[in-house]
Amino acid sequence: MPYRWNHTSDSEQELRLWPHNSLPPRWAMWVIFSVFLFGLIPLLAVLGSALLWGLLPFLLITVLGLWLAIQANYRSRSVFEVLTLTGTQARLVHHHPRKGRQEWSCNRYWARPEIHEHGGPVPNYVTLTGDGREVEIGAFLSESERIALFDDLTKKLREPVAQ
């Protein structure tokens, strides 16, 4: 699961959430290199002719477009969230590459997770409510991961923390 609970001290817990990464950077290099090599195979038939110079830019544009798409995907996946639960406070920090850092905090006693099966931007949308505000958490997770996250949040917010 792309989230993990850490016990930073006796009275503090931290939940880190991040999007799933199915293509690590090392494998992305191999994908781009393979596309380039397989794109060269049809060009072997026109090797030595002027047609090669007419087809080669299309291969290079394809490889460049694939590289730019993968880099844009990595930038958009650099989002992550950190929920810190102390004895009295619940604090959520949402780090987004374009929007910057967004923070929410409230008294832990009043923090309440909610799951919206319908009507949210994604199915089983999870939010935290408290201090008069409602904030999303884990919107980039899959549907089953959001359900598991809701169950974890419900348990963690109800259990007492040593002071």
Side-chain angles (χ1 to χ4, degrees), residues 28-40 43 56-71:
M29 176 193 66
W30 283 106
V31 167
I32 291 170
F33 185 67
S34 299
V35 166
F36 179 71
L37 284 181
F38 284 116
L40 285 177
L43 294 181
L56 189 60
F58 291 102
L59 173 63
L60 296 177
I61 288 171
T62 301
V63 171
L64 177 67
L66 179 63
W67 181 78
L68 291 174
I70 289 174
Q71 291 303 314

Side-chain angles (χ1 to χ4, degrees), residues 3 5 15 17 81 83 92 94 104 112-129 133-154 157:
Y3 69 86
W5 285 97
L15 170 67
L17 300 106
E81 297 173 345
L83 174 67
L92 178 66
H94 181 85
W104 169 85
R112 187 177 76 248
E114 293 182 3
I115 190 163
H116 306 277
E117 294 179 7
H118 306 290
V122 291
N124 294 315
Y125 187 60
V126 179
T127 59
L128 283 174
T129 304
R133 286 181 53 200
E134 185 174 32
V135 293
E136 69 177 12
I137 182 168
F140 46 77
L141 299 175
S142 71
E143 187 173 350
S144 60
E145 291 167 342
R146 284 190 301 273
I147 293 170
L149 173 66
F150 173 73
D151 293 338
D152 280 354
L153 285 173
T154 303
L157 286 170

Side-chain angles (χ1 to χ4, degrees), residues 5-14 84-90 108-109 153 155-163:
W5 285 97
N6 297 320
H7 294 277
T8 54
S9 70
D10 289 341
S11 64
E12 186 173 291
Q13 300 175 28
E14 184 179 87
T84 306
L85 299 176
T86 63
T88 59
Q89 285 289 106
R108 180 179 173 161
Y109 180 78
L153 285 173
K155 290 175 192 170
K156 294 287 185 178
L157 286 170
R158 286 186 183 161
E159 69 185 27
V161 177
Q163 300 268 340

